[in-house]
């Protein structure tokens, strides 16, 4: 084996090594401190959340056996040996599932329309006035930060039980989430075409329609589709608080220990989410090419 | 001695390297020249076994390198050190750790994965860095260095592998003229001083002529020239490089502007 | 005023038929799509029981509720709320950390540049996707059945549902890593383990840390709601006060959540800047 390096004399080497160690030690100390702070926070949080590792270990078996139980029919057989029995309530569930999807569709579309109407006010480059921008921004922030299900809780009281509350809750939350994303797209839009259109004597509205909209519409549709996918998941739990959809059935099945029903409903939800995930992904790729997928 | 026999590498139907055969004497400095896309990179990567040949064999001191697997393969990779055009350092690791990567094949995994490097390996790495005036940067992150500095670290990494042969894949293509000279001189010194064989891909013919004892010319994956730099006439070089010839052959006069394009330029200037 | 020469419409029409007679499919595609979208919307509004009278009376009710929320007032339960908020933050932090620890090894199995064989990678991906398909609240219900009511069920619910999300995100980060650095390690004779430890992890860890920090923020939001089904934290108080129509307390709790999320957002953004630098966050 050939050597390409002659080892330096010990003294020179020691000096070099010392310098290296000193430089590295400073970095290491920083990392260690950050690690210690993080670990301390974990310990405090562990006490706060009443985490008990022993509980976890004793109950972990229960977690596994829970899945064993939900995959067993009343007759003691595995669920997939008798699919008819497993999905005995499929007509009812499919109807509720359709309602769930409809809730998220209507909620997303209403949210997207509102977000569309509001986002030109909030984007820095298109906003007609700073005070308007500030107010709309705060409103959107509020709608985005408060979880959809909290809106649903309140709306159930205001509008009565039923899917209407769920739709409105999803619409409000989506307005907040999409409004922010939409205005970010507008802020990234190229302003030179706007200048060009304005130079022909066009109004603010025309500028938005002909210079900004063509640049941003693909991004809008892409985000709206993504939001729809998220909202399907969200709508599946709206029934927990009485705001419509399949959640109502699920919560009853879980609480009353109708084990095989739990797995049947979960499977329907997961399959639906998959199908919608794949469809919207395909749509987004087809409509706007690869770059819009991110 | 490194022997390459009928080496072929196909990607789909296209052959990147097509039936290449040659042998390299220990201690020589061989330049591989040709246009971009001629298969120079693939050839070197196959020698290091980063790419797998479709056909043919590579023998080193009688051992069939193409048949190596597992630990033996990793040890061969360590013996045939590779230097890349883009340096291929780990940007977020510090310079010394990057050089110590060259010792991975020698050190048991439990030591290297826990970063408990043996003292003599640290000394080796530090000495290699000092040899290229890079020891003062040992604790810096590699991605904070300039291109020339990064390539010197990469050469240090190659050297601590204690290789029998160094494979340099366009080592100077991303560097400025000053660093080009530093890097090429370093390779030459390694070759002459320690007798390590160097197999070096070069785009520039001038550099190849002044540094290498022997040139291998490739075109469309085939070896089309093999001999002393003095045997490489301008005529052969022009065939090798085709349209790029004037870029790589220094001192050649610029051709007169083409008659067809001249009026267009003229009208543009007039308008 | 300058005048353009008078055009001859007939000749233009004959010369460029494509411009004047665009096929119906091209002209009508966008309006038809919009029309279909809004037709489904109208059907949905009808089917889901929307009616103007319900909307109006509901909005009036909502107006009353909003009025009754002002001013926010915790009454005498401020200490309870503060400790519930602390519990929520703990759930978010622990759940996210646990999820990240579980997801890192699994994400390696789901990354194309580590496991090239699709047969092996595909089931791992699908598994992660199906976990992601189930909402955090559902996981919370399941865990309550297993470990009983309380914040611990919340921690586990967040951990499991984030495990799916992290597995996907991490594996994408791993796939986006620079191949050249890994190749450098391989060319020096490193084993697969070395490639991962020295070539991949230094590139990927900062990205992952950024994502984890971001999720701590978004999980604070999730953790506020899992209390609604009984898995601990401030959501329990919130659902309770809404049920008994104590609107001033409700608005106070929502205010607390907003402030807490804003603070966590601020901290996590600061930390992300510190870890990956300004440029990489955007």
């Amino acid at each position: 084996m050939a050597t390409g390096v002659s080892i330096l004399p010990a003294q020179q080497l020691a000096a070099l090594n010392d310098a290296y160690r000193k430089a590295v030690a400073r970095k290491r100390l920083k990392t260690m401190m950050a690690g210690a702070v993080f670990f301390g926070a974990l310990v405090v949080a562990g006490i706060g959340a009443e985490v008990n590792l022993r509980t976890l270990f004793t109950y972990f078996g229960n977690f596994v056996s829970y899945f064993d139980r939900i995959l067993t029919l009343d007759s003691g057989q595995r669920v997939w040996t008798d699919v008819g029995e497993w999905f005995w309530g499929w007509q009812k569930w499919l109807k509720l599932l359709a309602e769930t999807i409809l809730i998220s569709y209507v909620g997303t579309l209403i949210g997207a329309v509102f977000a569309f109407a509001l986002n030109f006010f909030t984007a820095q480059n298109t906003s007609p006035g700073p005070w308007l921008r500030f107010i709309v921004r705060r409103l959107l922030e509020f709608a985005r930060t408060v979880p959809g299900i909290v809106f649903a809780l309140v709306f159930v009281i205001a509008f009565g039980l039923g899917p209407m509350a769920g739709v409105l809750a999803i619409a409000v939350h989506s307005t907040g989430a999409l409004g922010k994303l939409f205005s970010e797209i507008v802020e990234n839009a190229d302003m030179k075409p706007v200048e060009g259109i304005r130079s022909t004597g066009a109004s603010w509205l025309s500028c938005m329609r002909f210079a900004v909209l063509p640049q941003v519409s693909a991004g809008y549709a892409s985000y709206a589709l993504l939001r729809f996918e998220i909202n399907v998941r969200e709508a599946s739990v709206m029934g927990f608080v009485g705001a419509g959809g399949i959640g109502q059935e699920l919560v009853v099945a879980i609480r009353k220990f109708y084990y095989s029903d739990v797995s049947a409903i979960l499977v329907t939800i997961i399959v639906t989410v998959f199908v919608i995930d794949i469809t919207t992904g395909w749509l987004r790729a087809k409509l706007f090419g690869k770059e819009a997928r991110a | 001695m490194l022997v390459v026999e009928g080496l072929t590498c196909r990607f789909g139907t296209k052959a990147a390297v097509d039936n290449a055969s040659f042998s390299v004497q220990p201690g020589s400095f061989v330049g591989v020249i040709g246009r971009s896309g001629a298969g120079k990179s693939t050839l070197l990567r196959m020698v290091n076994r980063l790419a797998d040949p479709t056909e043919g064999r590579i023998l080193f001191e009688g051992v069939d390198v193409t048949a190596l697997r597992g630990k033996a393969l990793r040890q061969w990779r360590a013996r045939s050190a590779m230097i890349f055009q883009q340096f291929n350092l780990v940007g977020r690791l510090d310079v010394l750790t990057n050089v110590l990567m060259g010792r991975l094949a020698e050190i048991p995994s439990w030591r290297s994965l826990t970063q408990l490097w043996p003292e003599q390996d640290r000394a080796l790495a530090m000495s290699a860095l000092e040899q290229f005036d890079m020891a003062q940067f040992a604790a810096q992150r590699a991605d904070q260095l300039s291109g020339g500095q990064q390539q010197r670290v990469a050469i240090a990494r190659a050297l601590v592998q204690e290789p029998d042969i160094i494979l340099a894949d366009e080592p100077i293509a991303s560097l400025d003229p000053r660093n080009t000279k530093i890097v090429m001189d370093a390779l030459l010194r390694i070759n002459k001083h320690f007798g390590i064989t160097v197999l070096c891909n070069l785009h520039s013919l001038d550099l190849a002529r002044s540094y290498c004892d022997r040139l291998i010319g490739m075109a469309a994956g085939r070896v089309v020239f093999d001999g002393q730099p003095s045997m490489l006439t301008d005529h052969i070089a022009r065939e090798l490089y085709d349209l790029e010839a004037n870029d790589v052959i220094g001192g050649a006069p610029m051709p007169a502007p083409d008659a067809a394009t001249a009026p267009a330029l003229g009208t543009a200037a007039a308008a | 005023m300058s005048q353009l020469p008078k055009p001859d419409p007939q000749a233009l029409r004959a010369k460029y038929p494509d411009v004047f007679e665009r096929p119906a499919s091209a002209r009508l595609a966008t309006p038809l799509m919009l029309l279909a979208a809004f037709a489904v919307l109208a059907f949905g509004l009808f089917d889901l029981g929307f009616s103007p009278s319900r909307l109006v009376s509901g909005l009036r009710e909502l107006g009353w509720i909003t009025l009754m929320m002002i001013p926010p007032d915790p009454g005498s339960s401020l200490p309870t709320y503060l400790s519930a908020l602390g519990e929520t933050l703990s759930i978010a932090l622990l759940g996210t950390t646990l999820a990240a620890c579980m997801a890192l090894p699994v994400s390696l199995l789901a990354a194309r540049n580590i496991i090239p064989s699709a047969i092996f990678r595909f089931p791992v991906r699908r598994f992660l996707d199906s976990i992601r398909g189930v909402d955090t609240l559902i996981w919370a219900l399941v865990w309550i059945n297993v470990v009983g009511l309380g914040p611990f069920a919340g921690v586990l619910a967040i951990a499991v549902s984030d495990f799916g999300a992290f597995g996907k995100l991490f594996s994408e980060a791993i796939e986006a890593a620079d191949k050249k650095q890994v190749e450098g390690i391989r060319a020096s004779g490193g084993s697969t383990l070395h490639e991962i430890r020295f070539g991949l992890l230094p590139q990927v860890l900062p990205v992952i840390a950024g994502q984890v920090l971001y999720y701590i923020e978004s999980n604070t939001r999730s953790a506020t709601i899992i209390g609604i089904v009984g898995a601990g934290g401030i959501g329990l108080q919130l659902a309770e006060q809404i049920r008994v129509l104590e609107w001033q307390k409700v608005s106070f709790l929502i205010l607390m959540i907003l402030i807490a999320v804003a603070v966590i957002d601020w901290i996590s953004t600061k930390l992300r800047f510190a870890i990956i630098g300004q440029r990489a966050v955007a």
Side-chain angles (χ1 to χ4, degrees), chain A residues 50 150 153-154 157, chain C residues 73-74 76-88 91 151 223-254 256-257:
Chain A
E50 299 167 18
V150 173
L153 272 172
V154 177
I157 290 169
Chain C
D73 179 16
S76 57
S77 344
L78 186 61
T80 323
Y81 293 170
L82 280 178
S83 83
L85 185 64
E87 203 171 274
T88 298
I91 292 172
T224 57
I225 58 166
I226 51 177
I228 292 173
V229 296
I234 203 163
L236 191 65
Q237 307 290 335
L238 188 62
E240 198 58 46
Q241 298 311 318
I242 291 177
R243 223 161 274 151
V244 298
L245 309 180
E246 286 275 1
W247 294 114
Q248 287 185 317
K249 288 187 179 172
V250 171
S251 60
F252 186 81
L253 283 167
I254 291 178
M256 273 175 79
I257 293 174

Side-chain angles (χ1 to χ4, degrees), chain B residues 45 77 88 92 112 115, chain C residues 180 183 186 194 197 202:
Chain B
R45 292 167 66 85
R77 283 187 177 139
N88 293 24
R92 297 188 69 94
S112 53
Q115 301 226 40
Chain C
K180 290 200 293 292
E183 200 166 66
R186 187 180 315 152
H194 288 130
R197 167 65 186 84

Side-chain angles (χ1 to χ4, degrees), chain A residues 106-129:
Chain A
V106 175
T108 311
L109 198 55
I110 295 177
V113 169
F114 275 100
F116 176 76
L118 293 175
N119 82 88
F120 292 104
F121 296 108
T122 63
Q124 201 160 15
N125 47 352
T126 56
S127 180

Side-chain angles (χ1 to χ4, degrees), chain C residues 157-211:
Chain C
I158 295 231
V160 171
S161 70
D162 271 13
F163 168 68
F166 277 155
K168 184 178 150 74
L169 283 175
F170 290 179
S171 66
E172 277 165 7
I174 292 169
E175 281 175 4
D178 183 5
K179 212 175 70 196
K180 290 200 293 292
Q181 307 191 5
V182 181
E183 200 166 66
I185 306 282
R186 187 180 315 152
S188 328
S191 64
T192 315
L193 264 180
H194 288 130
E195 284 167 32
I196 294 173
R197 167 65 186 84
F198 293 109
L200 267 181
L201 285 189
Q203 295 184 59
V204 170
L205 277 183
V207 181
I208 285 181
Q211 281 166 345

Side-chain angles (χ1 to χ4, degrees), chain A residues 4-248:
Chain A
V5 185
S6 34
I7 299 217
L8 297 167
Q11 212 170 359
Q12 200 182 347
L13 202 60
L16 286 172
N17 274 334
D18 259 8
Y20 173 76
R21 283 210 183 92
K22 248 179 235 152
V24 170
R26 215 174 308 130
K27 266 189 274 180
R28 200 164 286 166
L29 188 70
K30 246 193 203 164
T31 322
M32 297 261 277
M33 295 245 291
V37 167
F38 183 70
F39 192 73
L42 274 188
V43 170
V44 171
I47 297 165
E50 299 167 18
V51 168
N52 189 338
L53 283 183
R54 198 162 335 129
T55 329
L56 180 62
F57 284 121
T58 30
Y59 284 111
F60 192 74
N62 292 13
F63 183 62
V64 177
S65 74
Y66 187 79
F67 284 93
D68 177 52
R69 266 173 288 159
I70 65 172
L71 293 176
T72 311
L73 291 171
D74 288 341
S75 59
Q77 283 174 304
R78 280 278 169 241
V79 284
W80 44 81
T81 55
D82 190 351
V83 176
E85 178 67 25
W86 187 20
F87 285 96
W88 65 273
W90 63 273
Q91 276 172 316
K92 181 175 54 171
W93 294 335
L94 274 189
K95 203 164 158 289
L96 284 169
L97 203 62
E99 185 177 283
T100 308
I101 295 173
L102 209 54
I103 289 175
S104 67
Y105 175 79
V106 175
T108 311
L109 198 55
I110 295 177
V113 169
F114 275 100
F116 176 76
L118 293 175
N119 82 88
F120 292 104
F121 296 108
T122 63
Q124 201 160 15
N125 47 352
T126 56
S127 180
W131 54 272
L132 196 62
R133 173 163 181 252
F134 181 82
I135 292 173
V136 178
R137 269 191 102 106
R138 291 291 89 77
L139 274 176
L140 289 180
E141 216 161 75
F142 173 76
R144 187 169 68 243
T145 310
V146 177
I149 197 123
V150 173
F151 281 122
L153 272 172
V154 177
F155 289 171
V156 162
I157 290 169
F159 295 90
L161 288 170
M164 190 172 168
V167 169
L168 293 175
I170 285 184
V172 171
H173 190 67
S174 301
T175 306
L178 287 176
K180 175 174 187 249
L181 294 172
F182 283 8
S183 70
E184 271 170 11
I185 300 182
V186 171
E187 277 171 5
N188 285 329
D190 185 4
M191 288 308 280
K192 284 194 282 297
V194 179
E195 217 162 61
I197 301 243
R198 190 179 295 140
S199 74
T200 66
S203 66
W204 182 80
L205 202 63
S206 313
C207 286
M208 294 300 116
R209 165 67 186 84
F210 291 106
V212 180
L213 198 60
Q215 294 185 54
V216 297
S217 55
Y220 281 9
S222 179
Y223 274 130
L225 279 170
L226 199 64
R227 193 71 224 175
F228 172 61
E229 188 196 317
I230 298 169
N231 282 344
V232 171
R233 245 165 272 185
E234 179 118 14
S236 69
V237 298
M238 280 297 165
F240 287 15
V241 297
I246 199 160
Q248 180 70 42

